[in-house]
Amino acid sequence: MLGWAVMFLIIALVAGIFGFFGIVSAAVGIAKVLFFVFLIMFVISLIFGRRRGF
């Protein structure tokens, strides 16, 4: 999931260089959502992963 977020961020940067600002805003929005979903899933996996170890 983090890979997808980075990919959309790169798409946003390339689109920004070429002046496609509508695509930039969409790609940045998708990248932000994917990054926060990744963070939430990472924290959840850390919490439940430690409980299983005991």
Side-chain angles (χ1 to χ4, degrees), residues 1-3 11 13 15 18-19 22 24 26 28 32 39-40 43 52:
M1 182 143 331
L2 186 59
I11 290 172
L13 290 173
F18 291 118
V24 170
V28 168
K32 282 182 184 179
L39 283 178
I40 291 168
V43 170
R52 191 180 307 160

Side-chain angles (χ1 to χ4, degrees), residues 7-48:
M7 184 185 70
F8 276 106
L9 182 63
I10 291 171
I11 290 172
L13 290 173
V14 171
I17 290 171
F18 291 118
F20 299 112
F21 297 111
I23 296 172
V24 170
S25 63
V28 168
I30 293 170
K32 282 182 184 179
V33 168
L34 288 174
F35 181 72
F36 286 118
V37 169
F38 164 77
L39 283 178
I40 291 168
M41 291 175 65
F42 179 71
V43 170
I44 289 172
S45 69
L46 282 177
I47 292 169
F48 288 116

